[in-house]
Tab-separated table of all heavy atoms in Angstrom:
chain	number	residue	atom	x	y	z
A	1	LEU	N	0.268	-2.183	-7.072
A	1	LEU	CA	-0.882	-1.774	-6.265
A	1	LEU	C	-1.852	-0.922	-7.080
A	1	LEU	O	-3.069	-1.112	-7.007
A	1	LEU	CB	-0.423	-0.994	-5.026
A	1	LEU	CG	0.316	-1.800	-3.957
A	1	LEU	CD1	0.972	-0.854	-2.947
A	1	LEU	CD2	-0.614	-2.778	-3.264
A	2	MET	N	-1.321	-0.014	-7.868
A	2	MET	CA	-2.186	0.862	-8.660
A	2	MET	C	-2.914	0.085	-9.756
A	2	MET	O	-4.095	0.302	-10.001
A	2	MET	CB	-1.377	2.021	-9.218
A	2	MET	CG	-0.894	2.941	-8.090
A	2	MET	SD	0.114	4.311	-8.610
A	2	MET	CE	-1.132	5.373	-9.277
A	3	GLU	N	-2.212	-0.837	-10.396
A	3	GLU	CA	-2.840	-1.671	-11.429
A	3	GLU	C	-3.908	-2.575	-10.823
A	3	GLU	O	-4.983	-2.760	-11.385
A	3	GLU	CB	-1.783	-2.529	-12.140
A	3	GLU	CG	-0.888	-1.757	-13.059
A	3	GLU	CD	0.248	-2.616	-13.608
A	3	GLU	OE1	0.204	-3.866	-13.500
A	3	GLU	OE2	1.205	-2.018	-14.151
A	4	THR	N	-3.604	-3.157	-9.682
A	4	THR	CA	-4.524	-4.083	-9.026
A	4	THR	C	-5.736	-3.353	-8.472
A	4	THR	O	-6.838	-3.899	-8.468
A	4	THR	CB	-3.789	-4.860	-7.917
A	4	THR	OG1	-2.669	-5.515	-8.498
A	4	THR	CG2	-4.688	-5.886	-7.264
A	5	LYS	N	-5.547	-2.137	-8.030
A	5	LYS	CA	-6.646	-1.345	-7.464
A	5	LYS	C	-7.811	-1.254	-8.443
A	5	LYS	O	-8.961	-1.415	-8.059
A	5	LYS	CB	-6.129	0.057	-7.101
A	5	LYS	CG	-7.181	1.010	-6.633
A	5	LYS	CD	-7.393	0.853	-5.163
A	5	LYS	CE	-8.345	1.922	-4.654
A	5	LYS	NZ	-9.271	1.399	-3.695
A	6	VAL	N	-7.519	-1.020	-9.702
A	6	VAL	CA	-8.596	-0.869	-10.690
A	6	VAL	C	-9.200	-2.211	-11.096
A	6	VAL	O	-10.331	-2.257	-11.572
A	6	VAL	CB	-8.134	-0.082	-11.941
A	6	VAL	CG1	-7.760	1.336	-11.572
A	6	VAL	CG2	-6.989	-0.766	-12.653
A	7	LYS	N	-8.468	-3.301	-10.889
A	7	LYS	CA	-8.959	-4.633	-11.257
A	7	LYS	C	-9.751	-5.322	-10.145
A	7	LYS	O	-10.584	-6.177	-10.411
A	7	LYS	CB	-7.791	-5.545	-11.645
A	7	LYS	CG	-7.035	-5.109	-12.871
A	7	LYS	CD	-5.855	-6.047	-13.085
A	7	LYS	CE	-4.945	-5.568	-14.174
A	7	LYS	NZ	-3.756	-6.415	-14.286
A	8	ALA	N	-9.457	-4.971	-8.906
A	8	ALA	CA	-10.062	-5.668	-7.759
A	8	ALA	C	-11.538	-5.333	-7.624
A	8	ALA	O	-11.942	-4.182	-7.801
A	8	ALA	CB	-9.326	-5.302	-6.475
A	9	ARG	N	-12.330	-6.344	-7.323
A	9	ARG	CA	-13.759	-6.118	-7.069
A	9	ARG	C	-13.925	-5.303	-5.799
A	9	ARG	O	-13.227	-5.527	-4.808
A	9	ARG	CB	-14.495	-7.450	-6.904
A	9	ARG	CG	-14.660	-8.238	-8.177
A	9	ARG	CD	-15.578	-9.460	-8.026
A	9	ARG	NE	-15.757	-9.975	-6.686
A	9	ARG	CZ	-15.003	-10.922	-6.130
A	9	ARG	NH1	-13.993	-11.440	-6.794
A	9	ARG	NH2	-15.259	-11.354	-4.914
A	10	PRO	N	-14.871	-4.381	-5.799
A	10	PRO	CA	-15.125	-3.598	-4.579
A	10	PRO	C	-15.457	-4.510	-3.395
A	10	PRO	O	-16.147	-5.515	-3.553
A	10	PRO	CB	-16.329	-2.728	-4.962
A	10	PRO	CG	-16.287	-2.652	-6.450
A	10	PRO	CD	-15.716	-3.971	-6.917
A	11	GLU	N	-14.928	-4.165	-2.253
A	11	GLU	CA	-15.163	-4.888	-0.995
A	11	GLU	C	-14.551	-6.284	-0.963
A	11	GLU	O	-14.812	-7.053	-0.040
A	11	GLU	CB	-16.666	-4.975	-0.675
A	11	GLU	CG	-17.364	-3.640	-0.578
A	11	GLU	CD	-16.813	-2.762	0.539
A	11	GLU	OE1	-16.555	-3.274	1.638
A	11	GLU	OE2	-16.624	-1.566	0.289
A	12	SER	N	-13.752	-6.646	-1.971
A	12	SER	CA	-13.122	-7.971	-1.976
A	12	SER	C	-11.917	-7.970	-1.044
A	12	SER	O	-11.386	-6.918	-0.658
A	12	SER	CB	-12.672	-8.329	-3.395
A	12	SER	OG	-11.618	-7.478	-3.816
A	13	GLY	N	-11.464	-9.155	-0.710
A	13	GLY	CA	-10.263	-9.286	0.104
A	13	GLY	C	-9.058	-8.658	-0.584
A	13	GLY	O	-8.209	-8.042	0.068
A	14	LEU	N	-9.009	-8.785	-1.899
A	14	LEU	CA	-7.906	-8.211	-2.660
A	14	LEU	C	-7.934	-6.683	-2.571
A	14	LEU	O	-6.895	-6.047	-2.375
A	14	LEU	CB	-7.971	-8.671	-4.118
A	14	LEU	CG	-6.816	-8.238	-5.020
A	14	LEU	CD1	-5.480	-8.709	-4.470
A	14	LEU	CD2	-7.039	-8.770	-6.434
A	15	GLU	N	-9.098	-6.099	-2.678
A	15	GLU	CA	-9.194	-4.644	-2.561
A	15	GLU	C	-8.800	-4.187	-1.152
A	15	GLU	O	-8.086	-3.198	-0.984
A	15	GLU	CB	-10.598	-4.140	-2.888
A	15	GLU	CG	-10.658	-2.614	-2.831
A	15	GLU	CD	-12.043	-2.035	-2.955
A	15	GLU	OE1	-12.926	-2.427	-2.172
A	15	GLU	OE2	-12.217	-1.168	-3.817
A	16	LYS	N	-9.243	-4.911	-0.146
A	16	LYS	CA	-8.916	-4.530	1.241
A	16	LYS	C	-7.412	-4.622	1.501
A	16	LYS	O	-6.835	-3.731	2.136
A	16	LYS	CB	-9.695	-5.397	2.225
A	16	LYS	CG	-11.172	-5.072	2.225
A	16	LYS	CD	-11.953	-6.011	3.111
A	16	LYS	CE	-13.446	-5.689	3.013
A	16	LYS	NZ	-14.267	-6.635	3.737
A	17	ALA	N	-6.775	-5.677	1.021
A	17	ALA	CA	-5.324	-5.821	1.188
A	17	ALA	C	-4.597	-4.695	0.456
A	17	ALA	O	-3.659	-4.089	0.986
A	17	ALA	CB	-4.860	-7.183	0.678
A	18	ASN	N	-5.049	-4.422	-0.745
A	18	ASN	CA	-4.464	-3.358	-1.547
A	18	ASN	C	-4.631	-2.007	-0.854
A	18	ASN	O	-3.682	-1.230	-0.746
A	18	ASN	CB	-5.130	-3.359	-2.928
A	18	ASN	CG	-4.422	-2.460	-3.907
A	18	ASN	OD1	-4.315	-1.260	-3.683
A	18	ASN	ND2	-3.968	-3.029	-5.002
A	19	ASN	N	-5.827	-1.737	-0.353
A	19	ASN	CA	-6.097	-0.462	0.318
A	19	ASN	C	-5.220	-0.269	1.549
A	19	ASN	O	-4.797	0.849	1.836
A	19	ASN	CB	-7.572	-0.352	0.719
A	19	ASN	CG	-8.460	-0.048	-0.465
A	19	ASN	OD1	-8.005	0.351	-1.536
A	19	ASN	ND2	-9.753	-0.253	-0.278
A	20	TYR	N	-4.957	-1.347	2.281
A	20	TYR	CA	-4.100	-1.235	3.457
A	20	TYR	C	-2.748	-0.641	3.061
A	20	TYR	O	-2.259	0.313	3.674
A	20	TYR	CB	-3.912	-2.597	4.134
A	20	TYR	CG	-3.005	-2.519	5.339
A	20	TYR	CD1	-3.525	-2.237	6.593
A	20	TYR	CD2	-1.633	-2.694	5.226
A	20	TYR	CE1	-2.702	-2.138	7.708
A	20	TYR	CE2	-0.795	-2.594	6.330
A	20	TYR	CZ	-1.340	-2.322	7.566
A	20	TYR	OH	-0.510	-2.215	8.657
A	21	SER	N	-2.135	-1.222	2.028
A	21	SER	CA	-0.820	-0.723	1.604
A	21	SER	C	-0.908	0.681	1.029
A	21	SER	O	-0.062	1.534	1.331
A	21	SER	CB	-0.204	-1.666	0.563
A	21	SER	OG	0.126	-2.891	1.167
A	22	MET	N	-1.912	0.935	0.231
A	22	MET	CA	-2.052	2.275	-0.364
A	22	MET	C	-2.297	3.327	0.727
A	22	MET	O	-1.716	4.409	0.678
A	22	MET	CB	-3.181	2.294	-1.382
A	22	MET	CG	-2.934	1.440	-2.606
A	22	MET	SD	-1.581	2.005	-3.648
A	22	MET	CE	-2.359	3.363	-4.476
A	23	ASN	N	-3.127	3.005	1.706
A	23	ASN	CA	-3.439	3.963	2.769
A	23	ASN	C	-2.258	4.225	3.697
A	23	ASN	O	-2.222	5.242	4.384
A	23	ASN	CB	-4.638	3.484	3.593
A	23	ASN	CG	-5.924	3.517	2.799
A	23	ASN	OD1	-6.038	4.217	1.796
A	23	ASN	ND2	-6.886	2.732	3.220
A	24	HIS	N	-1.308	3.295	3.738
A	24	HIS	CA	-0.140	3.435	4.604
A	24	HIS	C	1.138	3.706	3.806
A	24	HIS	O	2.241	3.631	4.352
A	24	HIS	CB	0.030	2.169	5.456
A	24	HIS	CG	-1.063	1.983	6.456
A	24	HIS	ND1	-2.210	1.307	6.152
A	24	HIS	CD2	-1.197	2.424	7.724
A	24	HIS	CE1	-3.011	1.322	7.203
A	24	HIS	NE2	-2.419	2.001	8.170
A	25	TRP	N	1.000	4.020	2.540
A	25	TRP	CA	2.134	4.113	1.633
A	25	TRP	C	3.220	5.077	2.117
A	25	TRP	O	4.403	4.748	2.101
A	25	TRP	CB	1.682	4.498	0.223
A	25	TRP	CG	2.798	4.363	-0.748
A	25	TRP	CD1	3.503	5.364	-1.345
A	25	TRP	CD2	3.375	3.141	-1.208
A	25	TRP	NE1	4.484	4.844	-2.145
A	25	TRP	CE2	4.418	3.471	-2.088
A	25	TRP	CE3	3.108	1.790	-0.962
A	25	TRP	CZ2	5.201	2.517	-2.724
A	25	TRP	CZ3	3.879	0.834	-1.601
A	25	TRP	CH2	4.917	1.206	-2.465
A	26	ASN	N	2.839	6.249	2.521
A	26	ASN	CA	3.828	7.228	2.956
A	26	ASN	C	4.696	6.665	4.087
A	26	ASN	O	5.918	6.772	4.054
A	26	ASN	CB	3.143	8.535	3.386
A	26	ASN	CG	4.132	9.636	3.654
A	26	ASN	OD1	5.119	9.801	2.941
A	26	ASN	ND2	3.872	10.404	4.694
A	27	GLY	N	4.065	6.034	5.061
A	27	GLY	CA	4.816	5.448	6.181
A	27	GLY	C	5.568	4.188	5.801
A	27	GLY	O	6.617	3.891	6.373
A	28	LEU	N	5.056	3.426	4.825
A	28	LEU	CA	5.749	2.225	4.379
A	28	LEU	C	7.056	2.564	3.662
A	28	LEU	O	7.995	1.771	3.677
A	28	LEU	CB	4.859	1.401	3.441
A	28	LEU	CG	3.767	0.568	4.090
A	28	LEU	CD1	2.799	0.027	3.043
A	28	LEU	CD2	4.353	-0.569	4.914
A	29	THR	N	7.125	3.734	3.044
A	29	THR	CA	8.307	4.077	2.254
A	29	THR	C	9.330	4.927	3.009
A	29	THR	O	10.394	5.222	2.479
A	29	THR	CB	7.886	4.809	0.966
A	29	THR	OG1	7.128	5.967	1.296
A	29	THR	CG2	7.069	3.888	0.069
A	30	LYS	N	9.066	5.286	4.240
A	30	LYS	CA	10.009	6.106	5.025
A	30	LYS	C	11.347	5.393	5.226
A	30	LYS	O	12.381	6.032	5.345
A	30	LYS	CB	9.419	6.444	6.396
A	30	LYS	CG	8.184	7.284	6.315
A	30	LYS	CD	8.449	8.676	6.697
A	30	LYS	CE	7.113	9.336	6.817
A	30	LYS	NZ	6.893	10.583	6.514
A	31	PHE	N	11.342	4.076	5.273
A	31	PHE	CA	12.580	3.319	5.492
A	31	PHE	C	13.615	3.586	4.410
A	31	PHE	O	14.817	3.466	4.634
A	31	PHE	CB	12.283	1.817	5.607
A	31	PHE	CG	12.155	1.108	4.282
A	31	PHE	CD1	13.201	0.338	3.783
A	31	PHE	CD2	10.991	1.207	3.530
A	31	PHE	CE1	13.093	-0.317	2.561
A	31	PHE	CE2	10.866	0.554	2.321
A	31	PHE	CZ	11.921	-0.207	1.831
A	32	LEU	N	13.162	3.968	3.225
A	32	LEU	CA	14.081	4.195	2.111
A	32	LEU	C	15.047	5.356	2.374
A	32	LEU	O	16.159	5.366	1.867
A	32	LEU	CB	13.309	4.468	0.815
A	32	LEU	CG	12.519	3.291	0.255
A	32	LEU	CD1	11.616	3.747	-0.872
A	32	LEU	CD2	13.445	2.166	-0.183
A	33	LYS	N	14.628	6.307	3.165
A	33	LYS	CA	15.434	7.504	3.433
A	33	LYS	C	16.184	7.460	4.762
A	33	LYS	O	17.040	8.294	5.004
A	33	LYS	CB	14.542	8.751	3.407
A	33	LYS	CG	13.804	8.963	2.109
A	33	LYS	CD	14.744	9.412	1.029
A	33	LYS	CE	13.967	9.695	-0.250
A	33	LYS	NZ	14.736	9.473	-1.419
A	34	ASP	N	15.823	6.531	5.622
A	34	ASP	CA	16.446	6.482	6.952
A	34	ASP	C	16.824	5.044	7.286
A	34	ASP	O	15.957	4.217	7.589
A	34	ASP	CB	15.477	7.036	8.002
A	34	ASP	CG	16.091	7.134	9.385
A	34	ASP	OD1	17.175	6.553	9.629
A	34	ASP	OD2	15.475	7.788	10.246
A	35	PRO	N	18.123	4.734	7.264
A	35	PRO	CA	18.536	3.350	7.515
A	35	PRO	C	18.258	2.875	8.937
A	35	PRO	O	18.308	1.683	9.206
A	35	PRO	CB	20.044	3.368	7.236
A	35	PRO	CG	20.451	4.779	7.430
A	35	PRO	CD	19.260	5.616	7.025
A	36	LYS	N	17.917	3.794	9.840
A	36	LYS	CA	17.619	3.386	11.212
A	36	LYS	C	16.162	2.941	11.368
A	36	LYS	O	15.794	2.417	12.415
A	36	LYS	CB	17.962	4.516	12.176
A	36	LYS	CG	19.460	4.738	12.226
A	36	LYS	CD	19.854	5.792	13.197
A	36	LYS	CE	21.369	5.937	13.145
A	36	LYS	NZ	21.813	7.185	13.680
A	37	ILE	N	15.351	3.155	10.341
A	37	ILE	CA	13.973	2.658	10.371
A	37	ILE	C	13.989	1.237	9.824
A	37	ILE	O	14.351	1.016	8.670
A	37	ILE	CB	13.025	3.540	9.529
A	37	ILE	CG1	12.958	4.961	10.095
A	37	ILE	CG2	11.625	2.911	9.458
A	37	ILE	CD1	12.154	5.942	9.252
A	38	PRO	N	13.619	0.265	10.636
A	38	PRO	CA	13.604	-1.116	10.145
A	38	PRO	C	12.492	-1.334	9.123
A	38	PRO	O	11.522	-0.583	9.062
A	38	PRO	CB	13.355	-1.947	11.398
A	38	PRO	CG	13.029	-1.013	12.492
A	38	PRO	CD	13.243	0.377	12.031
């Protein structure tokens, strides 16, 4: 995600998809610490 962020054209679909994951990163990684989070 970090490598792609700098390569993606601004406002492109790739940048938007990348931003979604980056903007939600903290919540996306919570599952790693709690097996009850699917």
Side-chain angles (χ1 to χ4, degrees):
L1 291 168
M2 293 178 76
E3 288 173 14
T4 304
K5 174 86 174 139
V6 296
K7 296 176 188 175
R9 288 189 338 269
E11 303 298 318
S12 67
L14 185 57
E15 183 188 55
K16 290 175 183 174
N18 190 300
N19 284 345
Y20 179 89
S21 292
M22 294 294 283
N23 292 339
H24 293 89
W25 190 253
N26 188 40
L28 282 169
T29 57
K30 297 255 190 214
F31 83 102
L32 292 170
K33 302 288 183 209
D34 185 347
K36 292 182 181 160
I37 297 174

